């Protein structure tokens, strides 16, 4: 994007920082709920530049991190079946299940392929009708439309060997659950690319019910600083509202066409989130017309969630109750090279962000 | 999983567009967009164009921050 240098312009960032320092008089706790924001904030060193009145917390914004071990266990199980290929985004390949990972299963001969789009999985399924192809649908409102288009395509082509194993989730129930859990959050830095699809109406109940400010932010330093300033101003003026900072990509109505496709293909379901447990209607599963493509139905996959390993505090990290550096495993037994918990595996996980960019 | 890559549309064929991302051409699905034209900037995620990027809004935003310098 030709503006990238402008959105990283030092002088403009300093201008915003000056304003933040001047205006952030009252204490404010801001939670980001997007793994991309978590990584960008630490990568650009923003937490260290803010005044002491501002506390930044990472929330359940990384889809890989909130996905349970049971999902990985089932995915590994599917990949080891005869005549079955599991296709996944690269993000999931090293995430630990109860005993193994997709990467290890692949090394042991299981049929696991990394794809960058579910349409690649559709193409492979069409070319090889003898093999069942299961796509692992992971992610929030940003990736769910891609899975939805893939299901439409599979239906159109009459494929009998393509299935979606969905762990797709939607953000607002988790944002409400965080506050119900008693975590002190004054304001949400709302996810940028989720909002390109969903728009901003879905954040309004959070403002109305809990009085938290919501600003949809972009991912560059200027975006993040401007969003923080907007949230500070809302707090200082006691005027919590939903605002869009990331105006170049997010419209209040979102992407209406993508929403229509999502509504045609998916229906809400209860979903399990690491740290938050089962949240009603926070997941997406194929609707009745697409049931034949639903791997959890076709393969009868249970939704039991094995407990996280002893000592792993990813659940508390995802709720903003614990900083990654406060986990006893952090930097000792749990590192990106040998991750114990999902938040250390994911490039957008809070633990990996802290490991790579934050001072211990 | 949250990051999208911006790119410029250089050709369109049926449901697919070829998008230039920093000198690399990527083929993306355009099923999620109502309208897309040659030269448009789009956000790419998981093999699809998610949304058009508004140059006008980007410029307006930069202007707003520049005005803060006062």
């Amino acid at each position: 994007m030709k503006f990238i240098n402008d959105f990283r312009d030092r002088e403009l960032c300093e201008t915003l920082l000056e304003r933040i320092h001047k205006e952030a008089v009252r204490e404010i706790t801001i939670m980001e709920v997007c793994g991309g924001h978590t990584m960008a904030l630490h990568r650009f060193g923003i937490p260290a530049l803010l005044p002491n009145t501002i506390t930044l917390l990472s929330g359940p914004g990384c889809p890989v991190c909130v996905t349970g071990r049971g999902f990985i266990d089932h995915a590994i199980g599917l990949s080891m079946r005869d005549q079955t290929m599991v296709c996944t985004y690269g993000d999931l390949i090293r995430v630990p299940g109860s005993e193994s990972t997709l990467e290890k299963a692949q090394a042991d001969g299981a049929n696991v392929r990394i794809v960058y789009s579910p349409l690649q999985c559709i193409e492979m399924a069409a070319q090889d009708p003898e093999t069942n192809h299961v796509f692992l649908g992971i992610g929030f409102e940003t990736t769910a439309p891609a899975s939805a288009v893939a299901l439409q395509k599979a239906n159109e082509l009459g494929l009998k060997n393509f299935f979606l194993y969905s762990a797709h989730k939607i953000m607002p129930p988790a944002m409400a659950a965080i506050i119900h859990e008693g975590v002190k959050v004054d304001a949400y830095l709302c996810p940028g690319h989720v909002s390109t699809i969903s728009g901003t109406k879905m954040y309004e109940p959070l403002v109305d019910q809990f009085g938290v400010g919501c600003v949809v932010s972009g991912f560059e330093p200027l975006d993040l600083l401007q969003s923080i300033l907007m949230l500070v101003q809302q707090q200082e003026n006691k005027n919590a509202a939903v605002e869009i900072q990331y105006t170049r990509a997010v419209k209040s109505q979102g992407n209406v066409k993508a929403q229509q496709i999502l509504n045609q293909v998916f229906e809400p379901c209860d979903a399990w989130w690491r740290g938050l447990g089962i949240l009603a209607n926070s997941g997406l599963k194929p609707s009745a017309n697409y049931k034949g493509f639903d791997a959890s139905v076709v393969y009868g996959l249970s939704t039991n969630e094995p407990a996280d390993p002893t000592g792993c505090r990813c659940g508390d990290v995802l709720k903003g109750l614990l900083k990654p550096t406060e986990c006893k495993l952090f930097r000792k037994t749990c590192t990106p090279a040998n991750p114990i918990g999902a938040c250390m595996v994911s490039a957008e996980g809070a633990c990996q962000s802290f490991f790579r960019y934050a001072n211990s | 999983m949250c990051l999208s890559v911006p790119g410029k549309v250089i050709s369109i064929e049926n449901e697919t567009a070829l998008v230039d991302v920093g000198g690399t051409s990527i083929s993306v699905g355009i099923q999620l967009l109502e309208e897309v034209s040659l030269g448009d900037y789009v956000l790419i995620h998981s093999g699809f164009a998610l949304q058009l990027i508004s140059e006008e809004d980007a410029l307006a935003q930069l202007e707003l921050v520049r005005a803060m310098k006062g």
Side-chain angles (χ1 to χ4, degrees):
Chain A
M1 186 73 183
K2 55 187 167 186
F3 298 117
I4 206 81
N5 292 336
D6 294 307
F7 282 92
R8 294 182 180 181
D9 183 89
R10 182 178 174 146
E11 259 186 68
L12 291 180
C13 289
E14 283 173 348
T15 300
L16 286 165
L17 270 168
E18 278 170 30
R19 288 289 291 267
I20 290 168
H21 276 263
K22 196 171 146 190
E23 296 189 33
V25 177
R26 298 167 64 207
E27 292 207 340
I28 180 170
T29 300
I30 298 171
M31 178 178 270
E32 91 272 356
V33 279
C34 168
H37 285 160
T38 304
M39 190 49 92
L41 283 164
H42 292 291
R43 180 184 165 203
F44 297 123
I46 288 173
L49 301 173
L50 298 175
N52 293 336
T53 46
I54 299 177
T55 302
L56 294 182
L57 292 180
S58 296
C62 157
V64 171
C65 305
V66 297
T67 300
R69 291 180 171 244
F71 182 85
I72 302 295
D73 291 344
H74 284 314
I76 291 169
L78 291 170
S79 73
M80 293 166 90
R81 294 172 75 110
D82 288 341
Q83 295 298 98
T84 307
M85 178 196 288
V86 165
C87 296
T88 177
Y89 295 125
D91 309 64
L92 271 185
I93 199 85
R94 297 179 66 231
V95 178
S98 301
E99 290 171 6
S100 186
T101 64
L102 284 162
E103 188 180 44
K104 286 175 187 162
Q106 188 184 40
D108 290 340
N111 200 350
V112 178
R113 293 287 175 92
I114 293 177
V115 293
Y116 84 96
S117 165
L119 293 186
Q120 290 174 275
C121 190
I122 294 279
E123 280 169 27
M124 288 189 280
Q127 286 165 7
D128 181 6
E130 300 304 308
T131 301
N132 286 333
H133 293 67
V134 182
F135 179 71
L136 305 181
I138 185 115
F140 300 133
E141 291 91 333
T142 328
T143 52
S147 294
V149 173
L151 283 178
Q152 286 184 325
K153 200 82 184 163
N155 198 35
E156 198 182 300
L157 295 170
L159 294 181
K160 302 289 178 215
N161 63 330
F162 173 84
F163 307 99
L164 174 75
Y165 185 25
S166 175
H168 286 301
K169 293 176 172 67
I170 55 175
M171 260 335 298
M175 292 166 82
I178 286 284
I179 295 172
H180 282 302
E181 290 259 338
V183 182
K184 184 190 171 294
V185 176
D186 299 308
Y188 273 122
L189 197 68
C190 294
H193 294 135
V194 160
S195 306
T196 59
I197 299 296
S198 300
T200 57
K201 203 170 173 55
M202 65 181 187
Y203 304 121
E204 287 171 8
L206 294 166
V207 176
D208 297 341
Q209 287 174 36
F210 309 114
V212 293
C214 289
V215 170
V216 176
S217 178
F219 296 82
E220 296 301 330
L222 184 143
D223 292 319
L224 293 160
L225 291 168
Q226 190 183 19
S227 298
I228 290 167
L229 177 62
M230 289 162 80
L231 289 168
V232 163
Q233 288 171 336
Q234 283 188 19
Q235 167 96 342
E236 293 297 328
N237 300 328
K238 297 184 181 166
N239 182 26
V242 178
E243 291 184 280
I244 303 171
Q245 178 278 334
Y246 196 25
T247 50
R248 62 191 182 276
V250 176
K251 306 295 166 227
S252 59
Q253 73 275 18
N255 180 334
V256 175
K257 190 178 179 188
Q259 289 166 26
Q260 286 167 344
I261 292 171
L262 280 175
N263 291 335
Q264 284 162 14
V265 172
F266 285 120
E267 61 184 43
C269 62
D270 297 351
W272 187 91
W273 297 62
R274 176 168 285 103
L276 296 169
I278 293 175
L279 299 181
N281 293 326
S282 66
L284 295 172
K285 67 174 185 182
S287 60
N289 291 343
Y290 292 88
K291 218 173 188 165
F293 297 107
D294 186 342
S296 62
V297 173
V298 173
Y299 290 99
L301 306 175
S302 68
T303 53
N304 291 340
E305 279 308 334
D308 279 342
T310 309
C312 174
R313 303 287 302 275
C314 278
D316 289 333
V317 167
L318 287 162
K319 284 191 285 195
L321 295 175
L322 195 81
K323 275 190 176 170
T325 45
E326 293 168 328
C327 173
K328 285 180 180 161
L329 307 186
F330 183 80
R331 251 185 230 279
K332 296 181 179 75
T333 51
C334 187
T335 64
N338 178 43
I340 307 288
C343 299
M344 187 61 91
V345 180
S346 171
E348 294 169 348
C351 296
Q352 193 178 134
S353 300
F354 268 71
F355 186 96
R356 288 173 65 178
Y357 299 114
N359 294 326
S360 56
Chain B
M1 300 222 67
C2 313
L3 286 180
S4 293
V5 187
K8 189 177 184 176
V9 177
I10 50 178
S11 73
I12 298 169
E13 194 178 334
N14 302 325
E15 294 178 323
T16 306
L18 204 60
V19 179
D20 175 69
V21 179
T24 304
S25 297
I26 298 177
S27 176
V28 300
I30 51 174
Q31 292 93 330
L32 301 173
L33 298 181
E34 290 286 2
E35 268 186 73
V36 61
S37 314
L38 291 181
D40 281 348
Y41 278 90
V42 291
L43 274 177
I44 304 159
H45 191 86
S46 45
F48 289 85
L50 287 189
Q51 185 63 281
L52 297 174
I53 301 171
S54 159
E55 188 171 335
E56 200 183 330
D57 284 322
L59 287 168
Q61 195 180 5
L62 290 167
E63 204 43 54
L64 188 76
V65 179
R66 283 193 187 107
M68 287 182 190
K69 288 175 77 172

